[in-house]
């Protein structure tokens, strides 16, 4: 089979190689899956660069979430067992963690429903306790993680402010239904948020960016607001001033979705049931901006790493020819 593999960490375009390798053999408690679609995530770029909290043995194939077909013909969503990641024709995955792919979503959309939407749901509901009528601020609102949070916030009845970088991403955020879009390259985030909320600020902030985005969040979070720290796509990990949190009465909440998968798998299944319902109702639909063939996977990972994409890029091993 064909699979992208990393022999030495580095930038995706240079470090990822498309190779002919044997099909993976399932270990105890695992199943072999035929990959229908593999969603590109920022953690894939971190894995390739050798900067992720998980360090699979070399060589490995990146690709942390897929929509795939079981040997008995079921369409499922899975997190492949590294080192046999999803940018390949076949993967292995834990049998107990397979989730049914929603019938209302195609393969690419189903592949993009899992990690980003689970993270958004747990972040907004389990960690932040978002209420209908509250104001939600989402950084990187046009990206894969941010767009999921925007849709989930709207589904929960929140007023959603989307922060983006550039006019093209602003249009995407508007199309997603943001009630206010702030272009951080041309506007002061805190000033716009305070103006829009009549000085109150955002009740919940969803931050997958870190760095300057986190600093701006502390300037416009509301009394008893909650800042959910999801990741650090900017490359800068903030050092929170806890005296500021004390003075303004806001909470800083961490969200590592993988811990739920390890410590409370029943909650992950319940969340998937809720996401499937929302997808069936049309309340959430993963924003797939491009579907690319397997041959273009390294370029897709590089583009996500560089922050130049909107929505999700999804690799389809069965797709021939140029990206579309």
């Amino acid at each position: 089979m064909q699979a992208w593999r990393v022999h030495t960490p580095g930038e995706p375009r240079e470090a990822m190689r498309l190779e002919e390798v044997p099909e993976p053999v399932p270990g105890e408690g695992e199943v072999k899956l035929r990959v229908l679609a593999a969603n590109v995530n920022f953690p894939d770029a971190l894995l390739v660069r050798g900067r992720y909290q998980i360090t699979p043995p070399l060589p490995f194939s990146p690709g942390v979430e897929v929509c795939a077909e079981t040997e008995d013909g079921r369409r499922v969503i899975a997190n492949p067992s590294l080192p046999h990641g999803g940018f390949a024709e076949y993967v292995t995955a834990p049998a107990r963690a397979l989730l049914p792919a929603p019938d209302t979503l195609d393969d690419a959309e189903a592949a993009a429903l899992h990690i980003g939407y689970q993270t958004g749901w747990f972040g907004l509901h389990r960690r932040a306790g978002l209420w209908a009528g509250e104001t939600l601020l989402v950084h990187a609102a046009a990206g894969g993680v941010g767009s999921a949070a925007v849709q989930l916030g709207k589904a929960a009845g929140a007023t959603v402010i989307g922060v983006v970088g550039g006019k093209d991403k602003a249009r995407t955020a508007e199309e997603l239904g943001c009630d206010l879009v702030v272009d951080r390259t041309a506007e002061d985030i805190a000033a716009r948020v305070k103006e829009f909320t009549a000085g109150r600020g955002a009740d919940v902030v969803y931050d997958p960016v870190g760095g300057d985005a986190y600093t701006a969040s502390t300037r416009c979070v509301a009394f008893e607001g909650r800042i959910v720290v999801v990741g650090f796509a900017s490359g800068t990990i903030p050092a929170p001033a806890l005296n500021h949190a004390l003075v303004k009465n806001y909470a800083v909440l961490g969200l590592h979705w993988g811990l739920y998968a390890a410590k409370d798998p029943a909650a992950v299944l319940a969340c998937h049931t809720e996401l499937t319902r929302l997808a069936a109702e049309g309340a959430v639909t993963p924003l797939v901006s491009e579907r690319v063939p397997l041959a273009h996977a390294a370029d897709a990972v590089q583009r996500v790493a560089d922050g130049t994409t909107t929505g999700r890029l999804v690799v389809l091993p069965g797709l021939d020819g140029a990206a579309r």
Side-chain angles (χ1 to χ4, degrees):
M1 72 166 189
Q2 286 193 314
W4 285 92
R5 297 210 295 174
V6 175
H7 293 262
T8 303
E11 288 301 300
R13 284 197 186 99
E14 287 73 41
M16 291 175 61
R17 304 179 192 172
L18 186 58
E19 300 176 340
E20 194 70 29
V21 299
E23 293 180 7
V25 178
E28 185 176 355
E30 294 184 335
V31 294
K32 186 171 78 171
L33 304 171
R34 181 173 69 89
V35 178
L36 303 174
N39 181 42
V40 181
N41 285 271
F42 190 69
D44 292 316
L46 295 178
L47 280 166
V48 176
R49 289 168 167 169
R51 298 177 185 172
Y52 198 51
Q53 56 259 41
I54 298 171
T55 54
L58 297 168
F60 71 89
S61 297
V64 296
E65 69 177 335
V66 299
C67 175
E69 185 179 62
T70 63
E71 292 182 300
D72 60 3
R74 290 174 293 133
R75 201 171 68 111
V76 298
I77 295 171
N79 299 123
S81 302
L82 297 177
H84 304 296
F87 302 138
E89 292 180 295
Y90 290 89
V91 298
T92 58
R96 61 176 176 76
L98 300 181
L99 297 170
D103 294 334
T104 52
L105 302 179
D106 66 23
D107 294 338
E109 293 167 338
L113 181 72
H114 190 39
I115 295 176
Y117 281 86
Q118 287 259 344
T119 299
W121 193 92
F122 276 97
L124 297 180
H125 293 288
R126 285 284 291 261
R127 301 298 285 137
L130 180 69
W131 298 352
E134 288 193 309
T135 298
L136 167 66
L137 170 63
V138 179
H139 289 286
V145 173
S147 62
V150 169
Q151 292 181 359
L152 289 168
K154 295 297 293 183
T159 297
V160 179
I161 301 171
V163 177
V164 299
K167 292 182 179 179
D168 290 342
K169 294 187 177 184
R171 282 192 291 271
T172 298
E174 290 170 355
E175 292 168 359
L176 284 167
C178 288
D179 298 282
L180 172 70
V181 177
V182 181
D183 182 354
R184 60 176 172 77
T185 66
E187 301 175 280
D188 181 277
I189 296 172
R192 291 286 283 123
V193 171
K194 289 180 179 179
E195 177 187 20
F196 181 74
T197 60
R200 172 175 170 76
D203 299 292
V204 175
V205 178
Y206 191 80
D207 181 13
V209 178
D212 292 341
Y214 176 84
T215 301
S217 301
T218 64
R219 294 173 52 213
C220 61
V221 66
F223 169 72
E224 293 194 327
R226 292 87 76 198
I227 300 175
V228 184
V229 178
V230 183
F232 313 106
S234 67
T236 301
I237 299 176
L242 296 185
N243 61 322
H244 192 260
L246 182 152
V247 170
K248 288 192 67 175
N249 252 45
Y250 64 85
V252 181
L253 306 168
L255 188 282
H256 178 195
W257 172 77
L259 286 179
Y260 289 99
K263 295 180 178 295
D264 192 358
V268 172
L269 179 58
C271 177
H272 181 68
T273 300
E274 175 65 8
L275 293 175
T276 299
R277 181 186 69 80
L278 291 172
E281 294 175 354
V284 302
T285 303
L287 177 62
V288 178
S289 58
E290 291 185 50
R291 295 164 167 82
V292 303
L294 185 61
H296 292 191
D299 179 71
V301 177
Q302 185 70 62
R303 290 164 59 200
V304 170
D306 293 341
T308 61
T309 60
T310 59
R312 291 294 192 181
L313 271 59
V314 181
V315 175
L316 304 180
L319 181 63
D320 296 321
R324 66 182 186 187

